[in-house]
Amino acid sequence: MEDAFDGPFLGILGGMGPLASATLMTRLTQLTPAETDQAHIPAILWSDPRIPDRPAAYLRQGEDPFPWMLNGIRRLEAAGAKIIVIPCNTAHLWYDALAAQARVPIIHIVDAVVQNLQAQGVPHGRVGLMATSATLQSGLYQSRLSAHGYECLVPEPEEIGRHCSIPIALTKQGHLEEARRAASPGVASLCDRGVQAIVLGCTELPLALPHAMRGSWEVPIVDSIDALAHAAIHWHRRQTGKRKPDD
Amino acid sequence: MEDAFDGPFLGILGGMGPLASATLMTRLTQLTPAETDQAHIPAILWSDPRIPDRPAAYLRQGEDPFPWMLNGIRRLEAAGAKIIVIPCNTAHLWYDALAAQARVPIIHIVDAVVQNLQAQGVPHGRVGLMATSATLQSGLYQSRLSAHGYECLVPEPEEIGRHCSIPIALTKQGHLEEARRAASPGVASLCDRGVQAIVLGCTELPLALPHAMRGSWEVPIVDSIDALAHAAIHWHRRQTGKRKPDD
């Protein structure tokens, strides 16, 4: 393709779900300090909601999403993406296999969450995790958080469906108010167990628990969509040599 | 690329501005009737906010955006887009030149707005238009609306800056509340002149005048972002043979 238009393009492997991808695009724009269009980050979103369900596949009940995700990576590379983010936590169960075949770096969502925990003043300690059953069972977060000095508390087995899986499914159906009512007690329950932060480790959960309501909780909320946006903005700043005023 | 993953992909030539593109992705998801991720529309967003300013170029005060937009079209085609929408009204001043070179159809934003006026129960009559100076001066809307039996009222010359250009610039800077305060009197002023609908003919204006506040106005608001989303959903339904319950 025409090199004259090349640039520091962020690639987004999305559609898992499509509202989470759209929200990442919005948050990326809102969190980027820019006074004009031209100061924003060039981005390519591959939103393929046909990618088979990740939790079902991990639990060996559905079609393998890997070839679909690798196809998206290839399309993003061909279109000119220089780095890739995947706004779906459960998709990261295939991270190692995707990263091994990708020709550009892929930011790991848990690494982005760790950076955001640190940025929100929680450098170590006990954190509560809400996510899909597959993400919780796999230890995806637990192992990476442990390596950074965090202890990871997950909802009690009988609470996972009620406080995580159900609000995630409601969000995918567009029922955000019902999703909020189902997910909120999950946050409260983890807070009661003495966590120093809550990680929304599924990209549907930040949609169910919007920023406007987070001030009422006693601990910081680390949102895996915002964490990816911050990581992408940090990457872009390094590419373009821009520095924050406080760097 | 791998044909196995081909499908009815919607291409979005975006970044003009990036928040308008992100909002189109959100509205496309919200307006699509779907209970699972897999029922949503596959989409590719090329968001290149570096594309030179469209109003400035039309008024011969800036770099030509055409080669940048054509580059985006080419990337979307190569990635597999089967149809393209452009969530920027002023970019449509280059529509004929882009459509002449594109290998896939491009939905014209004013055609989408006309369909939405009809769907909102305004099949003809007097409509008020808010847009950039360039879009207003060019007659982009006036000629197409006139061909469909509408009379197009635009703000008085001394009001265009205050009620259109300023809120558009404020939106691009992320100051949505100030943008709302600047744009609202523009709607009221057009209503006072006896219009049957208001067309938000710049994709920043729907962000400044959100859905939650539109119920208080006496006429329907036709939002060029939502109009494009509806047109894309209609196209996708035809591709996949899905019918609405009331078709």
Side-chain angles (χ1 to χ4, degrees):
Chain A
M1 302 295 290
E2 305 88 325
D3 277 335
F5 303 102
D6 195 35
F9 273 89
L10 171 69
I12 299 104
L13 179 62
M16 305 179 280
L19 192 57
S21 311
T23 303
L24 174 60
M25 300 310 297
T26 298
R27 294 298 290 158
L28 186 69
T29 310
Q30 290 173 335
L31 293 170
T32 300
E35 291 292 307
T36 61
D37 287 355
Q38 289 72 25
H40 280 277
I41 301 177
I44 313 161
L45 167 62
W46 176 263
S47 179
D48 192 352
R50 304 169 309 165
I51 298 175
D53 189 70
R54 286 67 59 196
Y58 179 75
L59 303 170
R60 303 195 180 285
Q61 293 162 354
E63 190 190 342
D64 185 5
F66 178 76
W68 291 79
M69 293 194 283
L70 185 59
N71 171 62
I73 300 271
R74 289 280 176 266
R75 302 274 178 160
L76 289 168
E77 290 168 344
K82 300 295 188 294
I83 195 165
I84 289 172
V85 294
I86 310 175
C88 172
N89 287 270
T90 312
H92 285 74
L93 296 173
W94 288 267
Y95 176 87
D96 291 343
L98 290 170
Q101 295 212 34
R103 295 169 195 134
V104 299
I106 305 176
I107 296 177
H108 195 296
I109 200 165
V110 183
D111 292 344
V113 161
V114 167
Q115 286 163 16
N116 201 243
L117 275 165
Q118 294 166 347
Q120 290 207 44
V122 185
H124 49 71
R126 180 179 284 189
V127 302
L129 173 66
M130 295 174 71
T132 63
S133 294
T135 297
L136 293 170
Q137 282 182 32
S138 69
L140 178 76
Y141 267 86
Q142 291 90 324
S143 56
R144 285 193 176 230
L145 285 181
S146 168
H148 284 90
Y150 296 96
E151 183 194 351
C152 196
L153 259 66
V154 303
E156 300 294 349
E158 69 276 14
E159 292 181 336
I160 293 174
R162 200 161 70 240
H163 297 154
C164 297
S165 312
I166 288 173
I168 291 166
L170 286 167
T171 302
K172 285 184 185 290
Q173 292 160 14
H175 306 309
L176 298 185
E177 180 56 28
E178 293 91 326
R180 184 189 66 71
R181 281 199 296 270
S184 299
V187 175
S189 177
L190 285 165
C191 286
D192 287 346
R193 292 166 64 192
V195 299
Q196 292 165 260
I198 299 282
V199 171
L200 303 180
C202 168
T203 51
E204 264 72 35
L205 290 170
L207 314 178
L209 301 168
H211 285 270
M213 68 178 296
R214 295 184 197 169
S216 62
W217 287 315
E218 60 211 73
V219 300
I221 305 295
V222 175
D223 163 335
S224 49
I225 292 182
D226 277 18
L228 277 188
H230 283 295
I233 291 165
H234 192 70
W235 167 81
H236 184 256
R237 193 183 293 132
R238 288 200 309 276
Q239 300 306 303
T240 53
K242 283 183 201 160
R243 297 171 69 96
K244 279 195 298 188
D246 59 347
D247 268 359
Chain B
M1 302 294 293
E2 304 89 326
D3 277 335
F5 303 102
D6 195 34
F9 273 90
L10 170 70
I12 300 103
L13 179 63
M16 305 179 279
L19 192 57
S21 311
T23 303
L24 174 60
M25 300 310 297
T26 297
R27 295 298 291 159
L28 186 69
T29 310
Q30 290 172 334
L31 294 170
T32 300
E35 291 291 308
T36 62
D37 287 354
Q38 288 72 27
H40 280 277
I41 301 177
I44 313 161
L45 166 62
W46 177 263
S47 178
D48 192 352
R50 305 170 308 165
I51 298 175
D53 189 70
R54 285 68 58 197
Y58 179 75
L59 303 171
R60 305 197 179 283
Q61 295 162 353
E63 190 189 343
D64 184 7
F66 178 77
W68 292 80
M69 293 194 283
L70 185 59
N71 171 62
I73 301 271
R74 289 281 176 264
R75 303 275 178 159
L76 289 168
E77 290 168 344
K82 300 295 188 292
I83 196 164
I84 289 173
V85 294
I86 310 175
C88 172
N89 287 272
T90 311
H92 284 74
L93 296 174
W94 288 266
Y95 176 87
D96 291 343
L98 290 170
Q101 295 212 33
R103 296 170 193 133
V104 299
I106 305 176
I107 296 176
H108 196 295
I109 199 164
V110 182
D111 293 343
V113 161
V114 167
Q115 285 163 18
N116 201 243
L117 275 165
Q118 293 165 347
Q120 290 206 43
V122 185
H124 49 73
R126 181 179 282 190
V127 302
L129 173 66
M130 296 175 70
T132 62
S133 293
T135 297
L136 293 171
Q137 282 183 31
S138 69
L140 178 76
Y141 268 85
Q142 291 89 324
S143 56
R144 286 197 176 230
L145 285 181
S146 168
H148 285 90
Y150 296 96
E151 182 195 352
C152 196
L153 260 65
V154 303
E156 300 294 348
E158 69 277 13
E159 293 182 336
I160 293 173
R162 199 159 73 240
H163 297 156
C164 297
S165 313
I166 289 174
I168 291 166
L170 286 166
T171 301
K172 287 184 184 288
Q173 292 161 13
H175 306 308
L176 298 185
E177 180 56 28
E178 293 90 328
R180 184 189 65 71
R181 281 199 296 270
S184 299
V187 176
S189 176
L190 285 165
C191 285
D192 287 347
R193 292 166 64 193
V195 299
Q196 291 165 260
I198 299 281
V199 171
L200 303 181
C202 168
T203 52
E204 265 71 36
L205 290 170
L207 315 177
L209 301 168
H211 285 270
M213 70 179 296
R214 294 184 197 169
S216 62
W217 286 313
E218 60 213 73
V219 300
I221 304 295
V222 174
D223 164 335
S224 50
I225 293 183
D226 277 19
L228 277 188
H230 282 295
I233 291 165
H234 192 70
W235 168 82
H236 184 256
R237 193 182 294 133
R238 288 198 309 274
Q239 300 306 303
T240 54
K242 283 182 200 161
R243 295 171 70 95
K244 280 195 297 188
D246 59 349
D247 268 358

